[in-house]
Amino acid sequence: MLTGSLVALITPMNSSGSVDWKALELLIEYHIQSGTNGLVVAGTTGESVTLTDDELFILLERTLELAAGRIPIIAGCGSNNTAHAKQVAKRICQLGVTAGLSVTPYYNKPTQEGLYQHFAAIGEYSELPQILYNVPGRTACDLKPETVARLAGNFGICGIKEATGDLSRISQLRLLCGEDFALYSGDDLSACEFMLQGGNGVISVTANVAAKLMSRMSALALAGERELACEIDDSLRFLHRDLFIESNPIPVKWAAARMGLIKNADLRLPLTLLSVPAQAIVEAALVKAELI
């Protein structure tokens, strides 16, 4: 089981829209040196929905090559097309990633039974260890704890990224799914408390720009050191909030560029650069966190 601070890694891009491989190499080194516990590549923050399958596989191959076994790699592999998700997960499994991050089908609005069959089909076909990803704010679909319990420990399903921000789900999921099922927060604002209440880690946007602080905070929270963990978390409070002032990953890419972690804040359409008024807000959050 992976624990601690797992970064929802941005995908650095050139102004032409191609992946900036040099910047990717530098980001990987930054996270390894900062104590990040895992890289989540090609998730929401990595602009997965604008990557072609070929680009996804190349991105993962290069990331695995650059990481060279020094840090676990989790690959975004979700789709609202079950047949497509099965094929992508199969290929990702063959590449040798630690696990796949499989988001609930967006737009389709499936029932709980449909969700169960979707994830079961992916796991049976691909043999890829899967971390479920529940983010109703983006998908219009909520994976209920009872459905997670049906899936937990079956079909290679080993954990869930729970991005509702609802802390009451921790105890529900733990009771239904057992101690060996990994629970990851997908909400930076509540992640510290999530871990203090029994979660195993966070898949974090904030960690893109505050890797050391998120790693330290997570370690303290997992050790039950509430006061020290909350002290670090409080220093990141504005960053947790303001990195979502516009749609993720618009603000965090701008913040990473402002810190010099990547060359520029380019994204692929339909996402556009952070607006000028929002830039001032994100910069103020970086200053408050003493990152610039």
Side-chain angles (χ1 to χ4, degrees):
M1 181 188 294
L2 299 180
T3 62
S5 176
L6 314 177
V7 63
L9 192 69
I10 56 176
T11 302
M13 294 178 180
N14 298 302
S15 57
S16 63
S18 61
V19 177
D20 184 340
W21 300 113
K22 182 59 178 177
L24 178 67
E25 180 179 4
L26 293 174
L27 284 177
I28 291 169
E29 294 302 323
Y30 163 71
H31 284 289
I32 290 171
Q33 297 303 317
S34 299
T36 298
N37 300 104
L39 305 179
V40 180
V41 180
T44 303
T45 311
E47 299 175 74
S48 58
V49 292
T50 63
L51 298 173
T52 66
D53 286 353
D54 285 343
E55 286 177 319
L56 170 63
F57 301 141
I58 292 169
L59 175 63
L60 292 171
E61 287 171 351
R62 290 292 295 272
T63 301
L64 286 161
E65 177 186 341
L66 292 166
R70 294 174 294 163
I71 189 170
I73 309 297
I74 297 167
C77 61
S79 174
N80 61 349
N81 177 333
T82 305
H84 179 238
K86 288 166 58 179
Q87 295 293 335
V88 171
K90 183 77 167 181
R91 175 70 182 277
I92 285 173
C93 186
Q94 293 167 346
L95 292 177
V97 299
T98 301
L101 183 68
S102 194
V103 71
T104 52
Y106 37 89
Y107 190 76
N108 313 54
K109 300 177 74 172
T111 63
Q112 294 301 303
E113 181 60 28
L115 289 169
Y116 172 81
Q117 292 193 27
H118 172 78
F119 291 117
I122 294 170
E124 283 187 324
Y125 180 78
S126 69
E127 300 181 344
L128 175 73
Q130 288 184 78
I131 297 170
L132 308 175
Y133 180 13
N134 188 37
V135 56
R138 280 189 177 262
T139 63
C141 171
D142 187 7
L143 182 62
K144 300 294 186 182
E146 295 78 11
T147 306
V148 179
R150 293 177 64 194
L151 292 163
N154 301 310
F155 318 111
I157 295 168
C158 56
I160 184 170
K161 176 184 177 182
E162 179 57 61
T164 60
D166 180 359
L167 293 171
S168 70
R169 291 212 170 175
I170 305 167
S171 58
Q172 294 178 61
L173 287 165
R174 185 61 74 211
L175 178 65
L176 291 169
C177 301
E179 293 296 325
D180 294 331
F181 191 72
L183 305 181
Y184 303 109
S185 171
D187 175 60
D188 279 310
L189 268 171
S190 60
C192 181
E193 188 61 33
F194 185 99
M195 287 181 278
L196 286 165
Q197 291 190 24
N200 301 107
V202 56
I203 297 177
S204 170
V205 173
T206 301
N208 278 283
V209 293
K212 286 183 180 179
L213 290 169
M214 285 299 296
S215 176
R216 179 64 177 153
M217 182 275 286
S218 298
L220 289 166
L222 291 172
E225 298 283 352
R226 175 176 289 275
E227 184 176 350
L228 292 173
C230 289
E231 182 179 335
I232 296 173
D233 192 50
D234 286 344
S235 74
L236 297 171
R237 182 69 48 182
F238 291 100
L239 204 56
H240 293 333
R241 182 193 69 190
D242 294 337
L243 287 180
F244 293 88
I245 193 169
E246 292 181 5
S247 296
N248 179 46
I250 293 173
V252 73
K253 270 200 154 178
W254 186 88
R258 175 66 180 83
M259 291 175 61
L261 295 171
I262 57 177
K263 285 193 302 185
N264 55 60
D266 285 316
L267 307 105
R268 287 185 176 176
L269 287 171
L271 299 184
T272 54
L273 293 174
L274 187 66
S275 65
V276 172
Q279 289 177 19
I281 293 169
V282 174
E283 177 146 356
L286 290 169
V287 170
K288 288 171 183 173
E290 299 183 354
L291 294 172
I292 57 172

